RNA sequence: GGCGGUGUAGCUCAGGUGGUUAGAGCAUACGGCUCAUAUCCGUAGUGUCGGGGGUUCAAGUCCCUCCACCGCCA
């Protein structure tokens, strides 16, 4: 197979397992890929950005069964959640692959058959301790517990001895080729520390890899032996090939393969840096250029995990701030290989300081001045003086640096450079004080030059931030009066004076409103995420109102007798301004029955009706079908 | 246990091949400006560069040792 052209750029995220709902970790990987891909498109590369979902395997089978669904129903559902999140985060992927689509399944079968024919796959017996939850055999050096069983070191669950016939991939035969490849390509894995780990892992010796299961039904079956399904990892990794046309569009495959970057989390390094190249060598494909392993986001210094219940839902941030601030924070805070810490304080601090104060405020002050002094259109332009030239030269230097850092996937450094320039523009304005010149009519031309120069700089800034802040970037672009879409100006065409001096600019609302930390935390508190277990502590039941009467001397309170199936409870509700007591009788309502008894106006209330609050008035929900009193509400 | 890495200002970190007063951002204090989202600009700091020992005219930077933390070892 031929190598693709120099300008082709193929970037992937891992395909995400549909057993899990999307969380901040998925968002992080995908945002990195999106930012890099957007930059590369500006820089003129022929970019292909692939993401997708991994839908086979025992865990999916199991959790679908628990939810009373078929595996594909579960997958369909979770895929929608991923796609919705990507849309909200402005992820512009070129294709979304699902491992359940026929083109993928057939492709994997074909490669499997090819390796089998070649003798790299053979049939054998595997026996070992198997962890169902992690879908993996335990390492042999995991020691036996007192009960004579082994515990999975990752998930702490009991493992079973499994002995099964399966097919093996001759990984052991690829030890030398892999070492050789690593030596010739010392930056194959990034960051460097991960490359070291991979090399030392392979040097310890490789055993053959079991790549089929007879115990798992939900998977791609072997072409000629349907009692076996292909193990999820062999299945999933090949999506990088089937996703760009392997076995269905050879032209596209040739155009983009080998991949330029596989972006991954550090937990799946071995699969990508050892198994994957071995599979590829075996099947005769060129190897990807780079495997980039990024770190984890910790929440308030602790690892996020489902059992701790501290997994950060990206929607919490998205709903409150929108996409750009989240993208900015994740990409600015840490270099790609390191772990980072996510705290609301840190997030808000950075967003306020960098986005609101530095960039947002710059946009605002500049547009306001152009509006106030020139009615939005600069109509006179003095000569460029030294201070003006310096700003322009700094722009040229920054343009080089930003490009260099993006090419090196050092997005945080690129942003750092952009912000150095933003600070320079703010300083330029402070030094030249256009607001003073504005008071002197003889200085019109000088004033025009300063505002024009600063606006040219701002145009460049809005261009630079596009890969990270696509939404705000384009908004700024338009405020500066640009009609042509930003993406149509290539990185090499970008120049300081591309802005027309008499371009009509517009004022706008602040681009990034400052956020008050205390205020945000209060709101966060009030809509704090609870677990299902928390929710289950509330005993909600259908109750039938048997009696109802106005509480004497009040406008709103009604005293009711409510049948909750097992008994009749007395409750007080503040709903009389909407409902007359007599029209309540016979109504089926939702009540919380394990609420601590309260005494209202001297009357005991042993529960509470649920109601929507609209304009201060309570509105009771009703069932569309008949339900018995006492039925549980979930 | 084996291999690899980290430890630098209150916090997060930068500091190729050893070389004058060890840096940045944030936070803090003070000053300036008023076009701007109580924003912006300027000034001021503070550090036994994890501990100890060594090589050298000279070490955060090299060597030894100890301590603490982290990653990988199917």
């Amino acid at each position: 197979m031929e190598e693709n052209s120099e300008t082709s750029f193929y970037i992937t995220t891992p395909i995400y397992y549909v057993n899990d709902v999307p969380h901040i970790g998925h968002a992080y990987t995908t945002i990195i890929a999106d930012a890099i891909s957007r930059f590369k498109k500006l820089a003129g590369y022929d970019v292909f950005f692939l993401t997708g979902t991994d839908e086979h395997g025992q865990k999916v089978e199991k959790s679908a069964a628990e939810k009373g669904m078929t595996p594909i129903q579960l997958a369909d559902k979770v895929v929608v959640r991923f796609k919705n999140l990507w849309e909200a985060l402005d992820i512009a992927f070129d294709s979304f692959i699902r491992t359940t689509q026929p083109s993928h399944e057939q492709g994997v079968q074909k490669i499997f058959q090819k390796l089998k024919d070649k003798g790299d796959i053979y049939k054998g017996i595997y026996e070992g301790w198997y962890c169902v939850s992690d879908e993996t055999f335990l390492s042999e050096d995991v020691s036996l517990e007192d009960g004579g069983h082994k515990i999975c070191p990752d998930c702490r669950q009991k493992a079973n001895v499994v002995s099964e016939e399966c097919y093996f991939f001759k990984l052991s035969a690829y030890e030398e080729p892999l070492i050789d490849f690593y030596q010739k390509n010392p930056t194959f894995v990034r960051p460097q520390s991960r490359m070291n780990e991979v090399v030392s892992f392979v040097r310890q010796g490789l055993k053959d890899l079991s790549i089929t299961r007879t115990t798992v039904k939900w998977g791609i079956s072997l072409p000629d032996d349907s009692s076996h399904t292909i193990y999820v990892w062999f299945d999933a990794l090949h999506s990088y090939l089937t996703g760009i046309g392997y076995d269905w569009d050879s032209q596209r495959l040739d155009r983009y393969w080998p991949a330029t970057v596989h972006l991954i989390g550090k937990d799946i390094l071995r699969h990508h840096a050892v198994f994957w190249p071995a599979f590829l060598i075996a099947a005769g494909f060129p190897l990807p250029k780079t495997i980039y392993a990024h770190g984890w986001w910790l929440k308030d210094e602790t690892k996020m995990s489902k059992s701790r219940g501290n997994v950060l839902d990206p929607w919490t941030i998205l709903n409150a701030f929108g996409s750009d601030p989240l993208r900015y924070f994740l990409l600015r805070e840490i270099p790609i290989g390191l772990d980072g810490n996510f705290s609301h304080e840190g997030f808000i601090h950075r967003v306020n300081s960098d986005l609101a104060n530095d960039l947002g405020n710059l946009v605002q002050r500049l547009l306001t001045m152009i509006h106030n002094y020139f009615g939005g259109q600069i109509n006179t332009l003095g000569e460029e003086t030294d201070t003006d030239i310096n700003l322009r030269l700094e722009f040229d230097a920054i343009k080089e640096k930003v490009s260099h850092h993006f090419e090196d996937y050092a997005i945080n450094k690129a942003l750092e450079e952009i912000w150095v320039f933003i600070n320079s523009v703010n300083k330029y304005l402070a030094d030249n004080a256009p607001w003073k010149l504005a008071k002197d009519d003889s200085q019109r031309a000088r004033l025009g030059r300063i505002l024009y120069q600063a606006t040219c700089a701002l145009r460049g800034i809005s261009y630079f931030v596009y890969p990270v802040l696509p939404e705000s970037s384009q908004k700024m672009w338009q405020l500066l009066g640009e009609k042509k879409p930003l993406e149509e100006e290539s990185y090499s065409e970008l120049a300081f004076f591309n802005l027309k001096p008499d371009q009509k600019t517009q004022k706008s609302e602040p681009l990034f409103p400052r956020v008050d930390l205390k205020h945000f935390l209060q709101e966060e508190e009030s809509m704090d995420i609870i677990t299902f277990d928390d929710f289950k502590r509330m005993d909600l039941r259908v109750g039938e109102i048997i009696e109802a009467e106005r509480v004497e001397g009040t406008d709103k309170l009604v005293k009711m007798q409510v049948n909750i199936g097992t008994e009749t409870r007395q409750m007080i509700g503040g709903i009389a301004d909407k409902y007359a007591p007599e029209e309540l009788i016979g109504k089926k309502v939702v009540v919380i029955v394990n609420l601590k008894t309260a005494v209202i106006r001297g009357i005991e209330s042993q529960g509470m009706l649920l109601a929507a609050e609209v304009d201060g008035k309570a509105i009771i929900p009703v069932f569309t079908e008949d339900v018995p009193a006492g039925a549980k509400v979930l």
Side-chain angles (χ1 to χ4, degrees), chain A residues 549-562:
Chain A
E549 56 179 280
R550 180 74 54 93
V551 176
E552 296 265 342
T554 69
D555 295 337
K556 289 177 77 171
L557 298 183
V558 190
K559 181 171 99 176
M560 293 161 285
Q561 301 298 324
V562 182

Side-chain angles (χ1 to χ4, degrees), chain A residues 320-338:
Chain A
F321 300 94
S323 169
D324 280 355
L326 178 58
R327 292 172 61 110
Y328 179 78
F329 179 81
L330 294 178
L331 296 176
R332 170 62 221 261
E333 195 73 358
I334 51 167
I336 292 179
L338 298 185

Side-chain angles (χ1 to χ4, degrees), chain A residues 527-599:
Chain A
M527 55 179 226
D528 205 3
I529 303 300
I530 62 168
T531 65
F532 182 64
D533 287 336
D534 294 334
F535 172 76
K536 274 199 307 199
R537 295 182 58 208
M538 291 192 286
D539 193 357
L540 300 172
R541 301 279 172 170
V542 174
E544 182 176 4
I545 300 173
I546 301 170
E547 293 174 20
E549 56 179 280
R550 180 74 54 93
V551 176
E552 296 265 342
T554 69
D555 295 337
K556 289 177 77 171
L557 298 183
V558 190
K559 181 171 99 176
M560 293 161 285
Q561 301 298 324
V562 182
N563 173 16
I564 57 165
T566 48
E567 59 186 301
T568 298
R569 294 272 188 92
Q570 173 172 289
M571 299 180 192
I572 308 291
I575 51 176
D577 53 353
K578 179 79 186 168
Y579 301 94
E582 51 277 13
E583 64 173 317
L584 285 167
I585 293 170
K587 275 216 160 68
K588 298 276 180 65
V589 294
V590 179
V591 294
I592 174 162
V593 298
N594 60 342
L595 192 70
K596 192 177 174 192
T597 299
V599 178

